[in-house]
Amino acid sequence: MPQAPAFPLPLLVPVPPNRVSSRSPLPVVAAVLTAPDGRVLLAQRPAHKHLGRKWEFPGGKIEPGETPAAALRRELHEELGCETVVTAPLPRFEHDYGTVLIAMIPFICTLAPGSPPPQAREHLALAWVAVSDLRHYDLAPADWPVVAALEALAAEDPPGAQP
């Protein structure tokens, strides 16, 4: 009778679908629209949409042939009726919602000179929020890494710091 090996044989265990994906990520942009006082704009998703009533940084899908910055300006014009200036990129990352894998491309933005204030054209509500208060909002999961990036920036450059 053959003896069992001295070491365990590897088992073939399926990898959960959220661990490995053959799907191409859907590129999306998000705006951290900043006010002169340092607050940032959050938008509340409509109740009937995916992640209904969650708060998010406004933005959307990049259309074929569009640069991320152009897509962001278009999305903010469509969703909020305002014109913006992209001032700085934030770290890109991927988030897997299970049904869709997104490649999040966030930017810091300001309102363009002469732009009307943002209006909730496609959202339930808008809120200008201090970075220190963002964790009090029920954000969409893909927006939490953006919050972490903002908190890291705030820690590097605290309010009232002198250059």
Side-chain angles (χ1 to χ4, degrees):
M1 176 171 210
Q3 285 190 320
F7 55 91
L9 294 174
L11 297 176
L12 296 177
V13 178
V15 177
N18 61 348
R19 298 288 180 168
V20 174
S21 176
S22 60
R23 300 173 289 165
S24 293
L26 176 67
V28 297
V29 288
V32 177
L33 187 57
T34 60
D37 65 4
R39 292 178 301 154
V40 298
L41 186 72
L42 290 180
Q44 191 176 33
R45 295 180 59 80
H48 67 279
K49 289 201 170 182
H50 179 247
L51 303 172
R53 299 192 185 277
K54 295 268 189 192
W55 291 87
E56 67 180 357
F57 294 104
K61 298 174 192 159
I62 299 173
E63 299 294 337
E66 247 181 345
T67 66
L72 189 60
R73 286 189 297 271
R74 176 187 52 76
E75 285 284 351
L76 296 179
H77 180 75
E78 291 172 2
E79 292 181 5
L80 304 174
C82 61
E83 303 301 323
T84 55
V85 176
V86 174
T87 60
L90 289 171
R92 297 175 179 210
F93 60 91
E94 290 184 357
H95 182 82
D96 192 343
Y97 276 113
T99 57
V100 64
L101 175 66
I102 65 168
M104 179 72 89
I105 306 169
F107 291 95
I108 296 175
C109 305
T110 59
L111 284 175
S115 173
Q119 300 174 19
R121 291 180 167 180
E122 298 181 12
H123 292 88
L124 292 176
L126 301 177
W128 289 99
V129 179
V131 171
S132 60
D133 291 333
L134 288 171
R135 293 200 177 267
H136 299 291
Y137 284 79
D138 185 18
L139 292 175
D143 287 297
W144 287 112
V146 178
V147 172
L150 292 173
E151 289 171 339
L153 284 174
E156 290 174 11
D157 189 21
Q162 297 297 318

